[in-house]
Amino acid sequence: MGVDAWAFAQVAEKVLYNEMQVELARATELNFRELGVENVRFRNAWVEPGKVREVLDGFEPDVIFLDPARRAEDGRKVFLIKECQPDVLGLLPELFEASRYVLLKLSPMADITMACKRLGAHVKEVHVVAAGGECKELLFLLDRDWSGAPSTFIVEGGAVMEIPDGPSTTSTGSATGSGTVGPLAISTGAKRSGEIFLFEPGKALLKAGAFELPCGRFGLTKLGQHTHLYVGEAVPEELRPFGKVFEILEVMPLNNRTMKEAGKRWPQAEVTARNVPMTSDLLRKKTGCVSGGDIHLFGVRADAASEAGNYLIVTKKRYGTD
């Protein structure tokens, strides 16, 4: 319904809006007139190879934005670029003839590494946009004059962080980048409030595959190679907008006795299971906790501990995304 075109119209001198579906094109044009948007031209044309110049009809854009349809003819959702309409890959040569920059919006379910590979060396930037605890959009900025690795930008609730050199340099599951887990971070027993913090990454950081970033850039320790939770004596302020930060109150082995004990001591708590042989729902059932409050129980596999194994970590939320 033209919401992207409306946003572009607020900052651009001129916008050409093309919608391939007749009903949507007519409805959007009517809405824009009612809203008083006067710097948008409207087109209703099917975009296919050999037709780009015809669709532009003399319009000379600085950037071409594409939001291809993500549903197949049978109505099912699709995620691969080649399954979307129009055929972006087939259109790229003509798009670059018309504009240096192409901005492509894809499904948040799309695989970033695969998309970059299919789109080629002209991908300059990847933007992973999250809000309200969900990954909302993936945006790929293509530059006709660019050839090299892209930078990734993660956006969470208005905060932006750049990850240079793209997802390939940040996707390792290890804590240090060498295939090993960081130094001793937690041990069983009560903890003084604020002694150690736990960082749970938000959706944008996880979608970007930046599993090493909290360690390499911010000095945190990854709990386990496949446990995407991080601990440290402090969580830097720059990282806080991109996840949740908890104080670790207590650490204990994860077993039936400790789960029952935790449920009695903290009857109201959020519960999460990570990289252990049970789901979060099962862990909640075993503890008997009711959702709510600022206590959060994490059942996790922890290699960064006095002894590697499964642990129940009792935390209290300090700040972060919801």
Side-chain angles (χ1 to χ4, degrees):
M1 293 297 292
V3 64
D4 292 319
W6 178 88
F8 292 138
Q10 309 308 302
V11 295
E13 181 180 356
K14 298 178 182 179
V15 176
L16 172 66
Y17 170 82
N18 182 73
E19 168 57 56
M20 296 193 294
Q21 297 185 44
V22 177
E23 296 82 2
L24 290 180
R26 290 175 177 172
T28 302
E29 184 172 4
L30 176 61
N31 285 346
F32 277 40
R33 287 176 179 172
E34 292 295 323
L35 291 169
V37 179
E38 300 179 348
N39 59 336
V40 178
R41 287 174 52 187
F42 293 89
R43 296 278 287 153
N44 173 215
W46 190 263
V47 184
E48 56 187 1
K51 299 291 186 179
V52 170
R53 285 291 183 185
E54 180 180 323
V55 173
L56 290 175
D57 190 27
F59 191 82
E60 297 182 356
D62 295 304
V63 58
I64 297 177
F65 172 76
L66 293 96
D67 181 9
R70 304 169 195 164
R71 288 191 180 274
E73 293 182 358
D74 58 6
R76 62 183 174 86
K77 291 184 178 181
V78 297
F79 309 110
L80 299 178
I81 299 176
K82 64 181 181 181
E83 296 179 328
C84 298
Q85 291 293 333
D87 177 12
V88 175
L89 298 178
L91 290 171
L92 273 181
E94 292 176 73
L95 295 173
F96 278 141
E97 288 180 3
S99 173
R100 173 179 171 179
Y101 297 106
V102 174
L103 183 61
L104 175 64
K105 182 165 78 171
L106 294 180
S107 164
M109 299 295 292
D111 183 286
I112 295 175
T113 302
M114 182 183 296
C116 288
K117 185 176 181 180
R118 295 300 303 274
L119 291 169
H122 294 299
V123 180
K124 186 175 184 179
E125 298 177 3
V126 179
H127 295 254
V128 184
V129 183
E134 294 183 6
C135 184
K136 297 292 188 180
E137 292 184 356
L138 295 180
L139 299 168
F140 297 78
L141 178 64
L142 285 71
D143 182 345
R144 180 182 60 205
D145 298 336
W146 174 265
S147 180
S151 291
T152 299
F153 295 82
I154 56 175
V155 183
E156 187 95 45
V160 182
M161 182 188 299
E162 180 180 1
I163 308 172
D165 300 325
S168 62
T169 62
T170 60
S171 60
T172 176
S174 71
T176 63
S178 61
T180 61
V181 177
L184 174 68
I186 62 172
S187 58
T188 56
K191 291 291 176 184
R192 296 189 302 273
S193 178
E195 181 181 354
I196 298 180
F197 293 89
L198 183 146
F199 175 71
E200 181 184 24
K203 298 297 184 181
L205 197 151
L206 289 174
K207 180 62 182 182
F211 305 130
E212 187 185 351
L213 182 71
C215 307
R217 184 182 295 186
F218 297 104
L220 302 183
T221 298
K222 202 167 188 286
L223 279 183
Q225 183 173 359
H226 302 293
T227 305
H228 303 317
L229 295 170
Y230 306 81
V231 293
E233 295 181 355
V235 177
E237 188 172 349
E238 183 183 354
L239 184 60
R240 295 175 192 173
F242 302 95
K244 299 177 183 178
V245 179
F246 304 84
E247 293 180 26
I248 293 181
L249 304 180
E250 193 167 342
V251 180
M252 59 190 79
L254 181 65
N255 54 47
N256 288 331
R257 179 186 62 81
T258 57
M259 286 186 284
K260 290 180 181 179
E261 177 185 338
K264 291 178 180 179
R265 295 172 61 186
W266 298 283
Q268 187 177 40
E270 300 298 334
V271 177
T272 299
R274 292 285 180 87
N275 197 26
V276 292
M278 71 177 73
T279 63
S280 296
D281 287 340
L282 180 56
L283 179 57
R284 178 181 301 281
K285 183 177 179 180
K286 286 181 174 290
T287 60
C289 292
V290 177
S291 180
D294 55 1
I295 296 296
H296 199 125
L297 307 180
F298 288 90
V300 302
R301 167 72 187 186
D303 301 315
S306 53
E307 292 184 11
N310 297 333
Y311 288 85
L312 185 64
I313 303 178
V314 183
T315 70
K316 183 177 182 180
K317 186 178 178 182
R318 285 288 300 270
Y319 34 71
T321 57
D322 293 325

